[in-house]
Amino acid sequence: MSPDGAMWTLLPMLCLLSGATWAATLSGLQDAVLELKKFQDVANVSTFLLDRSTSTLLLGARDAILAVDTERLDQEPKVVGRIIWDVPEAKRRACVAKRKTKVDCNNYVRLLEFLGDGRVYVCGTYAFDPQCAFLELSSFTLETTEGEGVKMETGKGKCPFEPSQHYTAVMAAGTLYTAAASNFLGTLFDISRGTGAEQERIRTERSINWLSDPEFVSSAFIQQSASSNPTGDDDKIYFFFTEVAKEYDLYTKVKVPRVARVCKSDVGGMKTLQRRWTTFLKAQLVCEDKPSGQRYNILTDVFTTEHTPGDPSSTHFYGLFTSQWERDELSAVCVFSLSDISKVMDGPFKELKKTSDWTHPEPVPTPRPGQCLNKALKDEGFDSSLKLPDKVLTFVRDHPLMDNSVTAAPLLVRKGIRYTKLAVTQTGSGDERRGAVLHLGTDRGELHQVAVVGENATFLQELSLFTSQEPVNNILLHRGRALVGSPLSLARVQAEGCALYSSCAVCARARGLGCVWSTGEDACRRTTAEPGPGDIVDNALRKCDVAEGRCNPSMRELRVSVGLPLLLPCVQLSPRSCSWEHPPHRHTRQHHSDLQVTVTEDSLGEYICTCQEAGPGSRDPTPCRRAAYQLTLEGPIAGGTVAEAGGRHIVASYIFMFLMGLVLGAFLLHFVMRRCSVARQGHHLPDNSLSSDKGRDLLGSSATAQSPSSASLLSDGFRLTEKRNGTATTNTTTTLFSNQGNGSPHGNSFGGALIHSNPGNGHGNSLYANCNTNSGDLQFVANLLDGRTGERPEVIERKFGERDEVDEGLGDVIKGPEEELARFPNFKLPAPLALCEESSI
């Protein structure tokens, strides 16, 4: 069998196996994935709104609003309703005339909020002219006017103009508060009260001291409870965003994350700050690992939760961050408490003097600028912001920034991956609260679950829900499940409970959450027993049938060749630093927590990665060994788990024989066609007929393009590809054993893997992972664990060239055999060795 035949024979088997594994994983958790495009091509879903009483999920999409029964996703999906809300053709043409793309000139529904009277307030971009309408839940229709048209009102300041603009909104006691761009060009931004009485619709001041090119992320309404609010303080709305900092005098634009606060009863000032916020204050959020000095300054998402249900004062904000200064993918999670934010808002103000030095402004007038109304202010006669003195309003207009920052250390740092959305599940209750589970959506359609107990984070599992082109853009938690959305799909997965951890090793990693493995039931169960002293994860892992613990990895032997570049992974969940022990040589460079090594005779030996983590019951860091490798020179391995050179040469011989047959066949065809032509012309053709125009037409022209099969089979046919979630991307360099930021806390297992250098494939290096060639048939042996989950086979793919295609006029494009053979790189370089096809299981 030819190599092409073997490849095409095995591909359906691999796809079938990968699909079966994915389906089995979902069915085991009673999860479901729904492709929304089945519903009359619903696409570009960006907004979720859940009716928790009926489990009905509203989805805002392009030109449509969809309602889905989330309890029936695993059955035939029940669509409660579907509304088409598109843009008239004339308005669409006018939008395109303003140099906007035809795709953007649709109506992208970006806002869905309950009004509290059985209606939903919906807003869409409406071809760069934002409009809002009212949705009747009982009939699931949009309210109409007497002319049978949709009843609409302007959405400027409530909804973005452009589909991709950053935006946030929150409904507070029936009143909408938004943060969005307020003009067509997207150069003006407002935080405003968008609904209610016209005289109470106020917004931010148009000043860079208030908002400086912001990217809005999230918002939250914190309603004070009577029992925890003895001072009668007003309810507050918090906005989270990233903006360009004005307090840093640098050549580049420095972005900083901010939290801003306004008060619910604020109606603006009488003369100063008319129809403007009088309580707008903002402070910087600092997510920084102080030991390493790494700071994460781009805010991506915020999840708001009460650590004690029913107590607003226990509210915490979990922020998802990345870094402006890192070129590689990077994500971090920090948590900020409401009490810390309140302390900063009650602290000193920051002021820029003419000397370009930021100082504390003195004196601060009374009553305190930016203060929300409370009982004390009302007793003094300030029962409305309209009665505040001008000096107070002038001060808050010029000093919206607080001097102190709200600081926190990262709970989790992942390098080599980008998280897009975050949701948090608290485990336990009250004083028995054990920790939290972070549900993190990636830009590759995955959902990661990470347990955070004390100062340590433990990676639990990864679920591949969508394709790699579908980033997770929504996560809602409901009844112990997570509703996860992408622009094209909707998934429901288990989010709470020990039962979702299907193996002893994963259950052991969740020991800090109150889970324990029951050998009798062969399942993970919840327990109220407190874990013993020491490392609770390691203690739990020792009870499982595993060879290593979290801080005691087994040694992986890597067989390498001299000159091979390697990237040895060391999975770092903690923000604390990692260090490597290795033979003393200069051919290494640490890349984040991973180690780059160029193999020489001096670099052979043991490589051990040790990370700092928090000790049991202590905040002091303790060393935890995370990875161990043994580099040895390539040699024969018993057991036949690695492809032998002879097998690779057999496949190379097949390729060579196939090409020679193709060339000889083409030469023979050309020779026969030439003889037939001479016979047809008889004896009237002169001896020098090949030089005549008539004879030249029978030859292949040198200007004619060669058949794509000849060049691509050898030059492009053996390019190393990397596959993420089913999508292969070709790389020009080889990265070996790299799971940067994507591994499980236990590292990866490389059971006697052979790494081979092949300079003849055009890329310098190749990785051959347990691939045997026997009698021309490719055999795939999955001994490598997946770099992200630590539980699935390694995903390694070698891409063969395109299938050969022979044109009907082959004789017109084939040259002489000597010239054609000279074009082939295989006659100049060593023959390429047999390559392993990637398995996605």
Side-chain angles (χ1 to χ4, degrees):
M1 182 183 292
S2 68
D4 281 356
M7 178 186 70
W8 289 106
T9 301
L10 288 171
L11 275 178
M13 298 173 59
L14 294 174
C15 295
L16 180 61
L17 288 173
S18 63
T21 303
W22 177 78
T25 302
L26 288 181
S27 62
L29 294 175
Q30 297 182 350
D31 297 337
V33 177
L34 173 64
E35 294 184 1
L36 299 171
K37 61 184 180 181
K38 294 181 179 179
F39 302 102
Q40 301 181 19
D41 297 328
V42 172
N44 296 99
V45 177
S46 61
T47 309
F48 276 15
L49 181 64
L50 179 65
D51 186 351
R52 298 184 181 274
S53 61
T54 62
S55 297
T56 300
L57 181 66
L58 304 184
L59 303 99
R62 182 184 61 197
D63 297 331
I65 304 170
L66 192 69
V68 178
D69 185 357
T70 60
E71 296 296 325
R72 297 186 55 181
L73 289 183
D74 52 345
Q75 306 170 14
E76 184 65 25
K78 179 182 178 182
V79 180
V80 179
R82 182 174 184 270
I83 295 175
I84 299 298
W85 186 25
D86 55 5
V87 180
E89 187 60 31
K91 191 171 187 64
R92 195 190 311 271
R93 289 196 299 266
C95 174
V96 175
K98 296 177 182 178
R99 298 186 177 181
K100 300 299 180 182
T101 64
K102 187 176 181 180
V103 174
D104 287 345
C105 290
N106 289 294
N107 184 27
Y108 293 84
V109 179
R110 298 292 306 275
L111 177 116
L112 294 169
E113 290 289 345
F114 290 113
L115 287 174
D117 56 358
R119 297 185 302 169
V120 176
Y121 197 59
V122 299
C123 296
T125 58
Y126 212 73
F128 282 80
D129 182 21
Q131 298 292 322
C132 296
F134 300 90
L135 170 64
E136 290 283 355
L137 283 176
S138 58
S139 60
F140 202 75
T141 57
L142 294 178
E143 288 187 5
T144 58
T145 60
E146 295 180 358
E148 298 300 325
V150 176
K151 179 183 178 181
M152 295 187 297
E153 62 183 29
T154 179
K156 295 180 180 179
K158 309 173 190 176
C159 179
F161 285 74
E162 190 174 352
S164 60
Q165 281 179 343
H166 294 274
Y167 154 79
T168 183
V170 63
M171 190 69 73
T175 303
L176 183 68
Y177 294 81
T178 62
S182 57
N183 67 336
F184 180 85
L185 298 176
T187 56
L188 300 178
F189 304 90
D190 285 331
I191 293 177
S192 62
R193 181 185 291 123
T195 60
E198 185 65 30
Q199 64 272 14
E200 295 181 356
R201 296 190 182 185
I202 60 178
R203 58 176 176 83
T204 47
E205 182 80 354
R206 295 281 168 78
S207 169
I208 59 173
N209 290 332
W210 284 48
L211 294 173
S212 176
D213 196 14
E215 296 178 0
F216 300 111
V217 173
S218 181
S219 52
F221 171 53
I222 307 299
Q223 189 172 12
Q224 300 286 349
S225 62
S227 58
S228 60
N229 187 23
T231 60
D233 210 10
D234 193 14
D235 297 337
K236 303 174 183 65
I237 299 94
Y238 292 86
F239 294 90
F240 298 88
F241 55 95
T242 302
E243 69 172 354
V244 177
K246 293 301 178 182
E247 62 265 35
Y248 300 118
D249 186 14
L250 299 175
Y251 291 103
T252 186
K253 292 183 178 180
V254 179
K255 295 184 177 181
V256 295
R258 305 280 200 203
V259 55
R261 185 196 74 182
V262 295
C263 301
K264 184 173 177 294
S265 60
D266 191 353
V267 292
M270 179 61 70
K271 296 180 180 179
T272 305
L273 293 181
Q274 291 184 8
R275 305 286 295 273
R276 302 293 186 270
W277 295 108
T278 65
T279 56
F280 178 84
L281 298 176
K282 64 179 182 179
Q284 181 175 347
L285 297 174
V286 176
C287 180
E288 180 183 19
D289 178 41
K290 292 184 178 180
S292 64
Q294 177 69 53
R295 181 174 290 194
Y296 310 95
N297 66 322
I298 304 295
L299 188 59
T300 304
D301 190 31
V302 174
F303 183 83
T304 305
T305 183
E306 294 179 355
H307 278 193
T308 302
D311 182 11
S313 62
S314 67
T315 299
H316 283 67
F317 305 98
Y318 288 79
L320 186 59
F321 292 84
T322 186
S323 176
Q324 177 185 2
W325 315 110
E326 293 287 341
R327 286 184 290 181
D328 298 330
E329 294 178 334
L330 178 68
S331 295
V333 177
C334 279
V335 58
F336 306 91
S337 68
L338 179 63
S339 59
D340 288 343
I341 294 177
S342 299
K343 291 178 182 177
V344 172
M345 295 295 183
D346 294 336
F349 296 88
K350 183 171 288 189
E351 180 180 21
L352 178 62
K353 295 289 187 181
K354 293 182 179 180
T355 58
S356 298
D357 294 330
W358 287 88
T359 61
H360 301 169
E362 296 291 347
V364 176
T366 55
R368 179 180 171 85
Q371 184 180 5
C372 292
L373 294 180
N374 53 30
K375 291 181 180 179
L377 285 178
K378 292 178 181 178
D379 292 341
E380 295 177 10
F382 302 107
D383 56 353
S384 171
S385 60
L386 296 173
K387 296 184 179 181
L388 292 175
D390 281 348
K391 63 177 182 180
V392 172
L393 300 179
T394 302
F395 187 94
V396 75
R397 181 193 62 191
D398 298 335
H399 307 88
L401 180 61
M402 310 310 299
D403 186 61
N404 296 330
S405 301
V406 189
T407 61
L411 297 176
L412 166 73
V413 173
R414 294 299 304 274
K415 296 174 180 176
I417 197 164
R418 178 170 293 130
Y419 289 127
T420 55
K421 296 297 291 185
L422 166 69
V424 181
T425 301
Q426 299 291 328
T427 59
S429 60
D431 296 336
E432 297 181 359
R433 186 168 304 282
R434 296 177 180 270
V437 178
L438 308 181
H439 308 274
L440 298 151
T442 74
D443 60 349
R444 306 167 191 165
E446 304 161 334
L447 183 68
H448 293 181
Q449 292 182 339
V450 178
V452 177
V453 180
E455 299 295 315
N456 289 332
T458 304
F459 190 90
L460 296 178
Q461 63 179 351
E462 169 195 284
L463 297 176
S464 295
L465 302 178
F466 316 124
T467 66
S468 60
Q469 288 79 26
E470 295 183 61
V472 174
N473 60 6
N474 281 287
I475 302 178
L476 283 179
L477 301 177
H478 177 57
R479 295 182 180 177
R481 295 171 177 172
L483 301 174
V484 186
S486 77
L488 298 176
S489 306
L490 172 65
R492 185 193 66 197
V493 299
Q494 194 71 23
E496 295 180 7
C498 299
L500 65 92
Y501 309 126
S502 56
S503 68
C504 181
V506 178
C507 184
R509 296 200 292 269
R511 180 64 184 94
L513 302 176
C515 298
V516 65
W517 184 257
S518 174
T519 55
E521 302 179 47
D522 196 28
C524 191
R525 294 289 181 257
R526 183 165 183 80
T527 179
T528 57
E530 292 294 331
D535 193 323
I536 56 178
V537 175
D538 266 353
N539 290 339
L541 282 170
R542 292 189 187 100
K543 298 178 182 179
C544 299
D545 188 18
V546 294
E548 60 183 45
R550 181 171 56 92
C551 293
N552 184 30
S554 60
M555 185 70 68
R556 277 82 168 176
E557 182 181 7
L558 305 181
R559 296 183 175 270
V560 298
S561 58
V562 176
L564 183 69
L566 295 175
L567 183 62
L568 301 178
C570 181
V571 180
Q572 177 192 11
L573 289 175
S574 168
R576 299 169 184 86
S577 60
C578 297
S579 60
W580 284 84
E581 301 175 19
H582 55 78
H585 64 94
R586 59 182 179 84
H587 302 287
T588 62
R589 184 169 71 90
Q590 189 163 341
H591 181 71
H592 297 312
S593 58
D594 302 333
L595 187 69
Q596 296 180 3
V597 182
T598 301
V599 178
T600 64
E601 293 184 358
D602 296 334
S603 64
L604 302 177
E606 293 185 356
Y607 287 74
I608 298 175
C609 176
T610 303
C611 298
Q612 301 296 323
E613 294 191 353
S618 172
R619 299 178 65 90
D620 296 332
T622 58
C624 177
R625 181 176 294 187
R626 301 305 300 269
Y629 305 95
Q630 174 72 41
L631 300 188
T632 58
L633 283 180
E634 174 186 357
I637 301 177
T641 60
V642 181
E644 297 181 355
R648 296 194 296 269
H649 293 322
I650 291 175
V651 176
S653 300
Y654 272 114
I655 297 175
F656 178 78
M657 293 173 61
F658 173 77
L659 293 175
M660 288 297 299
L662 179 64
V663 173
L664 292 178
F667 178 77
L668 180 62
L669 178 63
H670 168 68
F671 180 77
V672 172
M673 292 177 63
R674 179 183 174 185
R675 292 294 300 270
C676 291
S677 175
V678 172
R680 285 195 301 268
Q681 294 182 20
H683 300 285
H684 301 286
L685 184 65
D687 293 339
N688 60 348
S689 61
L690 294 181
S691 63
S692 66
D693 292 339
K694 185 175 182 180
R696 191 179 299 114
D697 291 339
L698 300 177
L699 299 178
S701 171
S702 61
T704 304
Q706 295 296 312
S707 170
S709 62
S710 61
S712 64
L713 183 60
L714 293 178
S715 62
D716 296 331
F718 294 92
R719 304 186 69 177
L720 180 61
T721 61
E722 177 187 2
K723 191 169 183 181
R724 288 183 175 178
N725 295 339
T727 301
T729 57
T730 303
N731 299 328
T732 56
T733 59
T734 304
T735 302
L736 304 180
F737 295 106
S738 175
N739 68 338
Q740 181 178 335
N742 291 334
S744 97
H746 306 286
N748 297 328
S749 175
F750 307 100
L754 169 63
I755 307 174
H756 188 77
S757 176
N758 175 24
N761 66 357
H763 301 286
N765 303 296
S766 298
L767 174 62
Y768 297 92
N770 303 329
C771 178
N772 291 334
T773 305
N774 210 350
S775 302
D777 293 332
L778 296 179
Q779 300 179 1
F780 296 86
V781 182
N783 280 350
L784 299 184
L785 294 182
D786 183 84
R788 276 181 254 169
T789 64
E791 298 173 5
R792 297 185 305 205
E794 178 72 8
V795 182
I796 299 176
E797 177 176 356
R798 294 288 180 169
K799 178 182 177 184
F800 285 91
E802 299 176 357
R803 295 182 62 86
D804 297 336
E805 297 180 1
V806 181
D807 297 335
E808 294 181 1
L810 184 62
D812 296 334
V813 298
I814 301 296
K815 297 183 179 182
E818 296 85 358
E819 183 179 356
E820 187 66 25
L821 290 176
R823 291 173 50 83
F824 290 142
N826 260 28
F827 291 91
K828 301 178 182 180
L829 299 174
L833 302 181
L835 303 175
C836 290
E837 181 66 18
E838 176 181 3
S839 172
S840 61
I841 59 175

